[in-house]
Amino acid sequence: MTSFWTGPRVRLRAIEPDDWTAFRRFAEDEEGLGDLLDVPRSAESFRAWATEHSAQGPGADSFRLVVEAVDTGEAVGAVSSQHADPRAGRFEHGVTIGAEHRRRGYAAESVVLLLRFMFTERRFHKCQASVLAYNEGSLALHRRLGFVEEGRLREHVFAAGRHHDLVVLGLLAREFTALHPARGR
């Protein structure tokens, strides 16, 4: 039996203190995309953040995991579940892949592993994703995974000196199961 958290290309795992350098790199990559512009952070703040997150026990429905390449063992990104509402049966997810590792299928495989856990093991009904309208790569990824555009919040996010539309996408558990049948365990 292979691990539930491992696919052909990626393994999802908990954050370790040494992952701080990878998360610093991911933050720089996100800034380069125009998704995040923040005050520069010190190496120590990234170290402290990674140490704090590595010491936390697993949260039931909101958590962040490292995306590790199976072939190299390198941290290539992160995936998360957030804003989970068990009563309503919905949650949001996020994914980031380092610039030098994009377009290799890591994001798609990571999101499918996360969604499979949330839909089958945690019994959620719906996942929501919010994507900046100019992020065509992320929009295409979500559409390939089966997400459907549910709305657009006009000029909703201020980033890189201007306002941008935010596209809200959703995927229901039954849609996910039809498009991504469970693999043998």
Side-chain angles (χ1 to χ4, degrees), residues 29-86:
D29 291 343
E30 292 295 318
E31 182 181 323
L33 287 174
D35 287 354
L36 173 70
L37 182 58
D38 211 345
V39 175
R41 289 176 55 186
S42 68
E44 184 54 37
S45 75
F46 280 100
R47 275 189 209 97
W49 180 90
T51 299
E52 177 186 333
H53 279 78
S54 69
Q56 293 174 348
D61 299 322
S62 295
F63 51 87
R64 179 173 305 178
L65 300 171
V66 171
V67 176
E68 185 178 88
V70 168
D71 58 348
T72 65
E74 181 181 2
V76 298
V79 66
S80 64
S81 167
Q82 55 217 9
H83 308 295
D85 182 345

Tab-separated table of all heavy atoms in Angstrom, residues 29-86:
chain	number	residue	atom	x	y	z
A	29	ASP	N	8.506	34.306	-5.003
A	29	ASP	CA	7.875	33.945	-6.276
A	29	ASP	C	6.475	34.545	-6.397
A	29	ASP	O	6.084	35.025	-7.452
A	29	ASP	CB	7.790	32.426	-6.434
A	29	ASP	CG	9.142	31.772	-6.625
A	29	ASP	OD1	10.111	32.486	-6.950
A	29	ASP	OD2	9.223	30.539	-6.436
A	30	GLU	N	5.708	34.509	-5.291
A	30	GLU	CA	4.363	35.082	-5.300
A	30	GLU	C	4.426	36.593	-5.540
A	30	GLU	O	3.607	37.146	-6.262
A	30	GLU	CB	3.632	34.782	-3.989
A	30	GLU	CG	3.303	33.318	-3.786
A	30	GLU	CD	2.319	32.776	-4.797
A	30	GLU	OE1	1.331	33.466	-5.125
A	30	GLU	OE2	2.534	31.652	-5.279
A	31	GLU	N	5.411	37.244	-4.937
A	31	GLU	CA	5.581	38.679	-5.159
A	31	GLU	C	5.888	38.948	-6.628
A	31	GLU	O	5.390	39.899	-7.222
A	31	GLU	CB	6.706	39.222	-4.282
A	31	GLU	CG	6.900	40.710	-4.430
A	31	GLU	CD	8.037	41.236	-3.570
A	31	GLU	OE1	8.224	40.749	-2.446
A	31	GLU	OE2	8.725	42.155	-4.050
A	32	GLY	N	6.699	38.088	-7.235
A	32	GLY	CA	7.041	38.233	-8.653
A	32	GLY	C	5.835	38.108	-9.563
A	32	GLY	O	5.775	38.715	-10.629
A	33	LEU	N	4.842	37.334	-9.132
A	33	LEU	CA	3.607	37.190	-9.907
A	33	LEU	C	2.682	38.392	-9.731
A	33	LEU	O	1.719	38.540	-10.470
A	33	LEU	CB	2.838	35.937	-9.469
A	33	LEU	CG	3.389	34.591	-9.890
A	33	LEU	CD1	2.587	33.472	-9.241
A	33	LEU	CD2	3.352	34.458	-11.405
A	34	GLY	N	2.952	39.203	-8.719
A	34	GLY	CA	2.070	40.323	-8.425
A	34	GLY	C	0.942	39.932	-7.498
A	34	GLY	O	0.039	40.718	-7.240
A	35	ASP	N	0.975	38.687	-6.962
A	35	ASP	CA	-0.084	38.233	-6.060
A	35	ASP	C	0.105	38.748	-4.645
A	35	ASP	O	-0.830	38.840	-3.885
A	35	ASP	CB	-0.117	36.703	-6.001
A	35	ASP	CG	-0.681	36.096	-7.263
A	35	ASP	OD1	-1.143	36.846	-8.130
A	35	ASP	OD2	-0.659	34.863	-7.380
A	36	LEU	N	1.333	39.075	-4.280
A	36	LEU	CA	1.617	39.448	-2.911
A	36	LEU	C	2.729	40.482	-2.901
A	36	LEU	O	3.800	40.243	-3.442
A	36	LEU	CB	2.067	38.200	-2.127
A	36	LEU	CG	2.570	38.409	-0.713
A	36	LEU	CD1	1.415	38.812	0.192
A	36	LEU	CD2	3.213	37.136	-0.209
A	37	LEU	N	2.449	41.612	-2.341
A	37	LEU	CA	3.487	42.617	-2.153
A	37	LEU	C	3.424	43.032	-0.702
A	37	LEU	O	2.417	43.568	-0.236
A	37	LEU	CB	3.272	43.815	-3.076
A	37	LEU	CG	4.330	44.905	-2.985
A	37	LEU	CD1	5.715	44.351	-3.292
A	37	LEU	CD2	3.993	46.037	-3.940
A	38	ASP	N	4.469	42.711	0.002
A	38	ASP	CA	4.486	42.974	1.430
A	38	ASP	C	5.832	43.568	1.809
A	38	ASP	O	6.767	43.589	1.011
A	38	ASP	CB	4.258	41.660	2.190
A	38	ASP	CG	3.529	41.878	3.499
A	38	ASP	OD1	3.444	43.024	3.967
A	38	ASP	OD2	3.040	40.889	4.063
A	39	VAL	N	5.934	44.019	3.026
A	39	VAL	CA	7.188	44.533	3.554
A	39	VAL	C	8.166	43.361	3.618
A	39	VAL	O	7.777	42.251	3.998
A	39	VAL	CB	6.958	45.130	4.962
A	39	VAL	CG1	8.259	45.560	5.595
A	39	VAL	CG2	5.978	46.283	4.882
A	40	PRO	N	9.425	43.569	3.238
A	40	PRO	CA	10.387	42.462	3.293
A	40	PRO	C	10.475	41.868	4.697
A	40	PRO	O	10.419	42.589	5.698
A	40	PRO	CB	11.706	43.122	2.889
A	40	PRO	CG	11.302	44.309	2.078
A	40	PRO	CD	10.020	44.788	2.688
A	41	ARG	N	10.610	40.541	4.741
A	41	ARG	CA	10.715	39.828	6.017
A	41	ARG	C	12.132	39.313	6.197
A	41	ARG	O	12.794	38.949	5.232
A	41	ARG	CB	9.760	38.629	6.026
A	41	ARG	CG	8.309	39.015	6.104
A	41	ARG	CD	7.406	37.812	6.025
A	41	ARG	NE	7.709	36.806	7.030
A	41	ARG	CZ	7.122	35.621	7.072
A	41	ARG	NH1	6.219	35.290	6.166
A	41	ARG	NH2	7.439	34.751	8.008
A	42	SER	N	12.542	39.217	7.427
A	42	SER	CA	13.871	38.700	7.742
A	42	SER	C	13.890	37.178	7.634
A	42	SER	O	12.846	36.518	7.725
A	42	SER	CB	14.265	39.095	9.165
A	42	SER	OG	13.446	38.415	10.103
A	43	ALA	N	15.085	36.657	7.460
A	43	ALA	CA	15.255	35.204	7.471
A	43	ALA	C	14.774	34.646	8.807
A	43	ALA	O	14.124	33.595	8.858
A	43	ALA	CB	16.718	34.845	7.228
A	44	GLU	N	15.046	35.357	9.881
A	44	GLU	CA	14.624	34.885	11.201
A	44	GLU	C	13.106	34.775	11.312
A	44	GLU	O	12.587	33.862	11.954
A	44	GLU	CB	15.173	35.790	12.308
A	44	GLU	CG	14.863	35.300	13.710
A	44	GLU	CD	15.302	33.864	13.977
A	44	GLU	OE1	16.364	33.447	13.482
A	44	GLU	OE2	14.558	33.146	14.685
A	45	SER	N	12.371	35.697	10.685
A	45	SER	CA	10.903	35.610	10.757
A	45	SER	C	10.397	34.370	10.014
A	45	SER	O	9.453	33.729	10.457
A	45	SER	CB	10.243	36.878	10.214
A	45	SER	OG	10.307	36.931	8.809
A	46	PHE	N	11.045	34.018	8.901
A	46	PHE	CA	10.671	32.787	8.194
A	46	PHE	C	11.038	31.563	9.032
A	46	PHE	O	10.277	30.600	9.091
A	46	PHE	CB	11.338	32.719	6.815
A	46	PHE	CG	10.645	33.541	5.775
A	46	PHE	CD1	11.127	34.786	5.420
A	46	PHE	CD2	9.495	33.076	5.146
A	46	PHE	CE1	10.490	35.553	4.458
A	46	PHE	CE2	8.844	33.835	4.187
A	46	PHE	CZ	9.345	35.075	3.840
A	47	ARG	N	12.213	31.595	9.685
A	47	ARG	CA	12.619	30.478	10.548
A	47	ARG	C	11.609	30.292	11.676
A	47	ARG	O	11.186	29.172	11.976
A	47	ARG	CB	13.999	30.741	11.163
A	47	ARG	CG	15.148	30.363	10.307
A	47	ARG	CD	16.469	30.464	11.111
A	47	ARG	NE	17.534	30.780	10.203
A	47	ARG	CZ	18.029	31.986	9.964
A	47	ARG	NH1	17.583	33.036	10.610
A	47	ARG	NH2	18.982	32.157	9.088
A	48	ALA	N	11.237	31.391	12.332
A	48	ALA	CA	10.296	31.321	13.452
A	48	ALA	C	8.936	30.803	12.982
A	48	ALA	O	8.307	29.981	13.661
A	48	ALA	CB	10.152	32.698	14.102
A	49	TRP	N	8.485	31.283	11.828
A	49	TRP	CA	7.196	30.830	11.286
A	49	TRP	C	7.220	29.326	11.033
A	49	TRP	O	6.298	28.607	11.425
A	49	TRP	CB	6.884	31.596	9.991
A	49	TRP	CG	5.594	31.192	9.364
A	49	TRP	CD1	4.367	31.739	9.590
A	49	TRP	CD2	5.392	30.144	8.408
A	49	TRP	NE1	3.417	31.093	8.836
A	49	TRP	CE2	4.029	30.105	8.107
A	49	TRP	CE3	6.235	29.232	7.793
A	49	TRP	CZ2	3.479	29.186	7.212
A	49	TRP	CZ3	5.701	28.315	6.905
A	49	TRP	CH2	4.335	28.306	6.625
A	50	ALA	N	8.265	28.835	10.376
A	50	ALA	CA	8.359	27.402	10.060
A	50	ALA	C	8.463	26.576	11.338
A	50	ALA	O	7.836	25.515	11.455
A	50	ALA	CB	9.543	27.129	9.137
A	51	THR	N	9.220	27.050	12.308
A	51	THR	CA	9.357	26.329	13.581
A	51	THR	C	8.013	26.256	14.290
A	51	THR	O	7.624	25.203	14.797
A	51	THR	CB	10.419	27.015	14.473
A	51	THR	OG1	11.672	26.968	13.782
A	51	THR	CG2	10.535	26.326	15.816
A	52	GLU	N	7.306	27.380	14.315
A	52	GLU	CA	5.985	27.406	14.959
A	52	GLU	C	5.021	26.439	14.278
A	52	GLU	O	4.327	25.671	14.933
A	52	GLU	CB	5.419	28.825	14.924
A	52	GLU	CG	4.022	28.943	15.496
A	52	GLU	CD	3.431	30.334	15.307
A	52	GLU	OE1	4.195	31.312	15.221
A	52	GLU	OE2	2.190	30.429	15.233
A	53	HIS	N	4.970	26.464	12.946
A	53	HIS	CA	4.040	25.596	12.216
A	53	HIS	C	4.432	24.125	12.310
A	53	HIS	O	3.567	23.253	12.288
A	53	HIS	CB	3.910	26.046	10.769
A	53	HIS	CG	2.968	27.192	10.618
A	53	HIS	ND1	3.321	28.485	10.931
A	53	HIS	CD2	1.673	27.242	10.222
A	53	HIS	CE1	2.284	29.276	10.730
A	53	HIS	NE2	1.279	28.554	10.314
A	54	SER	N	5.720	23.842	12.417
A	54	SER	CA	6.141	22.449	12.530
A	54	SER	C	5.785	21.874	13.898
A	54	SER	O	5.602	20.665	14.034
A	54	SER	CB	7.648	22.313	12.278
A	54	SER	OG	8.392	22.892	13.325
A	55	ALA	N	5.680	22.725	14.904
A	55	ALA	CA	5.365	22.272	16.258
A	55	ALA	C	3.864	22.093	16.485
A	55	ALA	O	3.461	21.451	17.452
A	55	ALA	CB	5.926	23.254	17.283
A	56	GLN	N	3.048	22.650	15.612
A	56	GLN	CA	1.601	22.534	15.775
A	56	GLN	C	1.141	21.137	15.383
A	56	GLN	O	1.632	20.554	14.434
A	56	GLN	CB	0.872	23.547	14.882
A	56	GLN	CG	1.087	24.970	15.271
A	56	GLN	CD	0.460	25.938	14.275
A	56	GLN	OE1	0.058	25.567	13.189
A	56	GLN	NE2	0.411	27.201	14.655
A	57	GLY	N	0.196	20.638	16.123
A	57	GLY	CA	-0.416	19.365	15.747
A	57	GLY	C	-1.286	19.585	14.533
A	57	GLY	O	-1.595	20.727	14.162
A	58	PRO	N	-1.659	18.513	13.887
A	58	PRO	CA	-2.502	18.672	12.701
A	58	PRO	C	-3.867	19.249	13.075
A	58	PRO	O	-4.499	18.781	14.017
A	58	PRO	CB	-2.631	17.252	12.149
A	58	PRO	CG	-2.311	16.361	13.304
A	58	PRO	CD	-1.398	17.129	14.208
A	59	GLY	N	-4.276	20.275	12.372
A	59	GLY	CA	-5.609	20.830	12.560
A	59	GLY	C	-6.603	19.920	11.866
A	59	GLY	O	-6.270	19.270	10.874
A	60	ALA	N	-7.785	19.847	12.377
A	60	ALA	CA	-8.774	18.935	11.810
A	60	ALA	C	-9.089	19.274	10.355
A	60	ALA	O	-9.012	18.417	9.483
A	60	ALA	CB	-10.037	18.958	12.651
A	61	ASP	N	-9.428	20.518	10.105
A	61	ASP	CA	-9.895	20.869	8.765
A	61	ASP	C	-9.142	22.026	8.127
A	61	ASP	O	-9.326	22.287	6.943
A	61	ASP	CB	-11.385	21.207	8.813
A	61	ASP	CG	-12.223	20.030	9.279
A	61	ASP	OD1	-11.903	18.892	8.889
A	61	ASP	OD2	-13.177	20.239	10.048
A	62	SER	N	-8.341	22.736	8.865
A	62	SER	CA	-7.541	23.829	8.322
A	62	SER	C	-6.072	23.523	8.591
A	62	SER	O	-5.672	23.378	9.743
A	62	SER	CB	-7.926	25.154	8.967
A	62	SER	OG	-9.252	25.500	8.632
A	63	PHE	N	-5.306	23.415	7.526
A	63	PHE	CA	-3.902	23.040	7.661
A	63	PHE	C	-3.143	23.416	6.400
A	63	PHE	O	-3.725	23.681	5.363
A	63	PHE	CB	-3.756	21.538	7.923
A	63	PHE	CG	-4.501	20.682	6.933
A	63	PHE	CD1	-3.907	20.294	5.738
A	63	PHE	CD2	-5.809	20.270	7.180
A	63	PHE	CE1	-4.586	19.515	4.809
A	63	PHE	CE2	-6.503	19.499	6.260
A	63	PHE	CZ	-5.885	19.123	5.077
A	64	ARG	N	-1.822	23.427	6.517
A	64	ARG	CA	-0.933	23.694	5.382
A	64	ARG	C	0.080	22.566	5.322
A	64	ARG	O	0.615	22.155	6.355
A	64	ARG	CB	-0.225	25.022	5.576
A	64	ARG	CG	0.729	25.355	4.447
A	64	ARG	CD	1.261	26.741	4.594
A	64	ARG	NE	0.085	27.607	4.689
A	64	ARG	CZ	0.121	28.916	4.863
A	64	ARG	NH1	1.250	29.536	4.952
A	64	ARG	NH2	-0.978	29.627	4.951
A	65	LEU	N	0.348	22.081	4.110
A	65	LEU	CA	1.305	20.995	3.902
A	65	LEU	C	2.341	21.396	2.864
A	65	LEU	O	2.059	22.178	1.958
A	65	LEU	CB	0.579	19.732	3.421
A	65	LEU	CG	-0.481	19.163	4.367
A	65	LEU	CD1	-1.271	18.060	3.676
A	65	LEU	CD2	0.149	18.661	5.649
A	66	VAL	N	3.513	20.835	2.995
A	66	VAL	CA	4.572	21.028	2.009
A	66	VAL	C	4.322	20.081	0.847
A	66	VAL	O	3.948	18.921	1.044
A	66	VAL	CB	5.954	20.742	2.639
A	66	VAL	CG1	7.053	20.716	1.582
A	66	VAL	CG2	6.266	21.772	3.715
A	67	VAL	N	4.529	20.571	-0.366
A	67	VAL	CA	4.489	19.736	-1.566
A	67	VAL	C	5.941	19.372	-1.870
A	67	VAL	O	6.767	20.245	-2.125
A	67	VAL	CB	3.872	20.489	-2.767
A	67	VAL	CG1	3.925	19.628	-4.026
A	67	VAL	CG2	2.447	20.932	-2.444
A	68	GLU	N	6.229	18.088	-1.814
A	68	GLU	CA	7.585	17.604	-2.024
A	68	GLU	C	7.633	16.771	-3.309
A	68	GLU	O	6.762	15.931	-3.525
A	68	GLU	CB	7.972	16.733	-0.822
A	68	GLU	CG	9.375	16.239	-0.802
A	68	GLU	CD	9.650	15.437	0.455
A	68	GLU	OE1	9.396	14.219	0.436
A	68	GLU	OE2	10.097	16.050	1.453
A	69	ALA	N	8.620	17.014	-4.155
A	69	ALA	CA	8.788	16.222	-5.379
A	69	ALA	C	9.243	14.820	-4.984
A	69	ALA	O	10.207	14.660	-4.237
A	69	ALA	CB	9.813	16.872	-6.295
A	70	VAL	N	8.540	13.799	-5.478
A	70	VAL	CA	8.866	12.418	-5.141
A	70	VAL	C	10.266	12.045	-5.619
A	70	VAL	O	11.023	11.398	-4.902
A	70	VAL	CB	7.805	11.451	-5.743
A	70	VAL	CG1	8.259	10.007	-5.661
A	70	VAL	CG2	6.471	11.624	-5.044
A	71	ASP	N	10.630	12.496	-6.817
A	71	ASP	CA	11.906	12.066	-7.391
A	71	ASP	C	13.128	12.704	-6.738
A	71	ASP	O	14.197	12.101	-6.699
A	71	ASP	CB	11.928	12.280	-8.901
A	71	ASP	CG	11.699	13.725	-9.312
A	71	ASP	OD1	11.295	14.542	-8.469
A	71	ASP	OD2	11.932	14.040	-10.497
A	72	THR	N	12.987	13.912	-6.175
A	72	THR	CA	14.153	14.594	-5.604
A	72	THR	C	14.057	14.819	-4.104
A	72	THR	O	15.066	15.096	-3.459
A	72	THR	CB	14.348	15.973	-6.257
A	72	THR	OG1	13.224	16.801	-5.921
A	72	THR	CG2	14.522	15.861	-7.764
A	73	GLY	N	12.848	14.748	-3.535
A	73	GLY	CA	12.658	15.045	-2.121
A	73	GLY	C	12.680	16.534	-1.812
A	73	GLY	O	12.631	16.941	-0.662
A	74	GLU	N	12.720	17.366	-2.857
A	74	GLU	CA	12.780	18.816	-2.685
A	74	GLU	C	11.388	19.396	-2.424
A	74	GLU	O	10.406	18.978	-3.023
A	74	GLU	CB	13.363	19.452	-3.949
A	74	GLU	CG	13.501	20.952	-3.864
A	74	GLU	CD	14.059	21.567	-5.141
A	74	GLU	OE1	14.315	20.838	-6.112
A	74	GLU	OE2	14.227	22.799	-5.148
A	75	ALA	N	11.332	20.384	-1.520
A	75	ALA	CA	10.084	21.117	-1.286
A	75	ALA	C	9.849	22.026	-2.488
A	75	ALA	O	10.641	22.935	-2.741
A	75	ALA	CB	10.174	21.927	-0.008
A	76	VAL	N	8.775	21.769	-3.237
A	76	VAL	CA	8.510	22.528	-4.459
A	76	VAL	C	7.298	23.449	-4.332
A	76	VAL	O	7.022	24.235	-5.234
A	76	VAL	CB	8.326	21.590	-5.680
A	76	VAL	CG1	9.595	20.790	-5.936
A	76	VAL	CG2	7.124	20.664	-5.502
A	77	GLY	N	6.562	23.354	-3.220
A	77	GLY	CA	5.386	24.192	-3.055
A	77	GLY	C	4.673	23.906	-1.752
A	77	GLY	O	5.204	23.218	-0.868
A	78	ALA	N	3.460	24.422	-1.658
A	78	ALA	CA	2.630	24.221	-0.473
A	78	ALA	C	1.174	24.186	-0.904
A	78	ALA	O	0.787	24.803	-1.899
A	78	ALA	CB	2.851	25.340	0.538
A	79	VAL	N	0.378	23.461	-0.144
A	79	VAL	CA	-1.061	23.366	-0.389
A	79	VAL	C	-1.756	23.482	0.961
A	79	VAL	O	-1.188	23.068	1.986
A	79	VAL	CB	-1.414	22.044	-1.129
A	79	VAL	CG1	-1.147	20.828	-0.265
A	79	VAL	CG2	-2.835	22.051	-1.638
A	80	SER	N	-2.943	24.089	0.962
A	80	SER	CA	-3.619	24.289	2.241
A	80	SER	C	-5.122	24.144	2.126
A	80	SER	O	-5.706	24.312	1.058
A	80	SER	CB	-3.293	25.681	2.795
A	80	SER	OG	-3.797	26.675	1.931
A	81	SER	N	-5.704	23.828	3.264
A	81	SER	CA	-7.148	23.863	3.463
A	81	SER	C	-7.379	24.965	4.484
A	81	SER	O	-6.671	25.032	5.495
A	81	SER	CB	-7.639	22.524	4.004
A	81	SER	OG	-8.963	22.656	4.472
A	82	GLN	N	-8.362	25.820	4.221
A	82	GLN	CA	-8.591	26.952	5.119
A	82	GLN	C	-10.062	27.340	5.123
A	82	GLN	O	-10.809	26.922	4.256
A	82	GLN	CB	-7.718	28.140	4.690
A	82	GLN	CG	-7.917	28.524	3.256
A	82	GLN	CD	-6.646	28.969	2.563
A	82	GLN	OE1	-5.562	28.843	3.092
A	82	GLN	NE2	-6.773	29.500	1.371
A	83	HIS	N	-10.422	28.127	6.097
A	83	HIS	CA	-11.800	28.641	6.232
A	83	HIS	C	-12.827	27.515	6.151
A	83	HIS	O	-13.886	27.666	5.526
A	83	HIS	CB	-12.092	29.731	5.194
A	83	HIS	CG	-11.085	30.828	5.168
A	83	HIS	ND1	-10.889	31.686	6.214
A	83	HIS	CD2	-10.187	31.178	4.231
A	83	HIS	CE1	-9.923	32.532	5.924
A	83	HIS	NE2	-9.463	32.244	4.726
A	84	ALA	N	-12.516	26.399	6.779
A	84	ALA	CA	-13.427	25.256	6.755
A	84	ALA	C	-14.646	25.536	7.632
A	84	ALA	O	-14.519	26.033	8.747
A	84	ALA	CB	-12.704	24.006	7.240
A	85	ASP	N	-15.796	25.221	7.089
A	85	ASP	CA	-17.060	25.362	7.812
A	85	ASP	C	-17.751	23.998	7.788
A	85	ASP	O	-18.499	23.686	6.857
A	85	ASP	CB	-17.925	26.429	7.128
A	85	ASP	CG	-19.238	26.671	7.850
A	85	ASP	OD1	-19.636	25.851	8.709
A	85	ASP	OD2	-19.899	27.680	7.528
A	86	PRO	N	-17.485	23.148	8.792
A	86	PRO	CA	-18.049	21.793	8.783
A	86	PRO	C	-19.573	21.766	8.766
A	86	PRO	O	-20.172	20.883	8.154
A	86	PRO	CB	-17.515	21.169	10.077
A	86	PRO	CG	-16.338	21.985	10.453
A	86	PRO	CD	-16.609	23.368	9.925
